[in-house]
Structures are given as C-alpha cells and as structure tokens.
Amino acid sequence: MFVAGNWKMHTDHRAASRLASEVVRLTEPDARVVDVVVCPPAVWLEAVREQVRNSRVTLGAQNVFPGETGAFTGEVSPLMLKGVGCTYVIVGHSERRQYFNESDAFVGEKVKQVMKHEMTPILCVGESLEERDADNAETVVGRQLTGGLGGVSLKHGNQLVVAYEPVWAIGTGRTASPEQAQAMHAFIRENLIARFGAEYNVPILYGGSVKPDNATDLFSQPDIDGGLIGGASLDAESFAAIVRAAADSARR
Ligand code: 13P
C-alpha cells in the first residue's frame, strides 16, 4: 500500500517542518508496511527533508519542468528535485492540466524526465464531471494514460505510480464510491498490463476527498493500492489515520 500527501500551495516554513515531523512520529509503526510520501511546496522541500531524513517517510515534489537546465524562468528541473532529495514527483495533476493548460504530451515529457533522473512519477489521471456524465470517463483516462506513458518502458514496478483522481471529487467532499473507483482502477490496471506486461506491479492510487472515515472502504477494493491525499494530508492526525487504514488493509 502507498499513501502520499499532496500539500498543494499550503503551509509556511514552520508549519511545513512541524507537519512533516508530526507525520514522521505518527506514521512510524505503519510506515513499515505502507510507503508514506509527503509532497510539500517546492520551497519547503529542503526543510521537510531535514524532518524525514532518518525515517521511512519519503519526499515528493508536486510538479517539475521537463528539462535539465536552461532559460525557463520560475521553473524547477528534475536535477534540482533529485538534488534536494525527492524520490517521487507528482505529474499531470488535474489542477496543472486545468489552470496551466498542461497537455497530455507535456505531461508525458515530464514522466520521461522524472524517470530519466531515477525518481518515480506519480502520474495523475481523471475525468471531469461533464466527461463522466457523457459516459466518456474511460476514454479520457485512456487518452491521458497514452499521452503520459507513450514511449515509456519499465524495468521494475517501482518506477511508476498512477493516481486516479476524478476532478469532480477533488476538494469537493464528494468521493467516488468505492465501486466507482474500483471500476476505473480495474480499467487502469488492464491498460497498464496491456502496455507493460503483467509482471510489473504499478501501484494505482485513488485521490479525491479521501478522509479517515472513507479510507478503509476505498482501500479494501482489490485494485486500489492506496491514496493521494489533498486536504486531509494537512492535518497530521488525519493523514496518519489514513496511513493506518492502508496499513490495516495491507495486513489483512
Ligand atoms: P482532496 O483530498 O483535497 O480532495 O485533494 C485530492 C488531490 O487533489 C490530491 O492530489
């Protein structure tokens, strides 16, 4: 099982350090059976790295530019993220696709650059409410997987994580039902097996209003391997409770 916290554009320096140190403390027993990742804003990566340094909690970034160095004002390269200690990088989050017009092809370049620098991309996919209502959810997610993973090959399953985050469930308090999420996860699993072969066990996370009180039902679905947590990851107790639900599911 795998649980990552996407802090988005929240926290200041002190709050980020405090949250990271609390996450380390509260997830300590469960981080033996769950991969626990925190993804703070880029400017706090270094401070958070200091807090997670001697723990099982690992560090992820929320975004990356698909190039090593150059005249790209304001951007952060995979080399820089690797240098500051990131193991994971979220790419193609729906907020990036929606507000910054990131295309499937651009997301695909990011995936390749992150892998080239031996970090693991957490590739986000997910349909809008309009797309779901028009019965296009699988078409959209299939297209996002093709754009994000075209030309990618795997040597082992740890090189890639996929997160299904239906746009209509993000920050809305409205989660996909466990059955809805499971159906899409099964579709994604089939797509990944057709693409890479059955030998790679790529974790598929669910994201969208995951909270301590719905995590157990979601994580008990056969194709849900964990969660990508937004709002609830800003509270160490809530985040740790979600990690505990993942650990209980792993131990079952
Ligand atoms: P919420 O958990 O706040 O709905 O956010 C989900 C998300 O976007 C994680 O990347």
Side-chain angles (χ1 to χ4, degrees):
M1 295 296 278
F2 190 111
V3 177
N6 174 8
W7 297 1
K8 306 193 180 182
M9 201 172 71
H10 295 288
T11 66
D12 59 18
H13 190 169
R14 277 176 59 142
S17 296
R18 194 176 326 117
L19 178 55
S21 88
E22 285 289 280
V23 165
V24 166
R25 186 172 66 80
L26 296 172
T27 62
E28 203 273 327
D30 297 315
R32 293 168 195 280
V33 291
V34 178
D35 288 309
V36 180
V37 184
V38 286
C39 304
V43 284
W44 313 138
L45 282 167
E46 189 149 23
V48 169
R49 180 192 61 188
E50 291 312 304
Q51 300 299 327
V52 303
R53 190 188 275 286
N54 294 314
S55 78
R56 290 173 192 268
V57 177
T58 51
L59 192 60
Q62 297 176 15
N63 185 31
V64 66
F65 183 80
E68 292 179 359
T69 57
F72 297 102
T73 301
E75 293 297 317
V76 176
S77 86
L79 276 175
M80 296 166 186
L81 296 180
K82 181 82 180 171
V84 77
C86 289
T87 309
Y88 296 93
V89 184
I90 297 172
V91 297
H93 192 280
S94 64
E95 287 150 15
R96 305 269 346 150
R97 296 177 189 263
Q98 200 177 336
Y99 305 134
F100 303 94
N101 297 318
E102 292 194 4
S103 67
D104 290 330
F106 192 57
V107 171
E109 286 179 52
K110 294 183 181 207
V111 168
K112 289 197 208 60
Q113 277 288 329
V114 169
M115 289 175 113
K116 178 176 170 197
H117 293 282
E118 295 179 333
M119 296 177 289
T120 299
I122 302 176
L123 170 64
C124 300
V125 297
E127 80 287 355
S128 65
L129 190 56
E130 250 179 8
E131 290 161 339
R132 173 160 286 262
D133 287 345
D135 236 2
N136 281 334
E138 288 188 355
T139 309
V140 168
V141 169
R143 193 193 64 220
Q144 291 170 337
L145 289 171
T146 298
L149 299 175
V152 168
S153 59
L154 296 182
K155 294 193 196 70
H156 49 83
N158 296 342
Q159 280 176 293
L160 175 66
V161 175
V162 173
Y164 170 56
E165 300 207 307
V167 176
W168 46 272
I170 295 178
T172 57
R174 175 180 170 192
T175 19
S177 69
E179 295 72 25
Q180 277 174 323
Q182 165 56 28
M184 186 60 86
H185 279 233
F187 169 80
I188 294 170
R189 180 88 64 206
E190 270 175 39
N191 183 296
L192 296 176
I193 288 173
R195 204 175 281 284
F196 300 120
E199 64 270 39
Y200 301 114
N201 220 350
V202 175
I204 306 173
L205 315 181
Y206 170 78
S209 300
V210 180
K211 308 286 177 212
D213 61 3
N214 58 25
T216 299
D217 283 348
L218 287 161
F219 295 164
S220 64
Q221 298 297 315
D223 288 300
I224 299 184
D225 303 315
L228 180 55
I229 319 301
S233 73
L234 294 169
D235 178 80
E237 302 267 354
S238 296
F239 186 65
I242 293 168
V243 171
R244 200 165 313 126
D248 290 345
S249 161
R251 291 188 184 106
R252 262 198 292 275

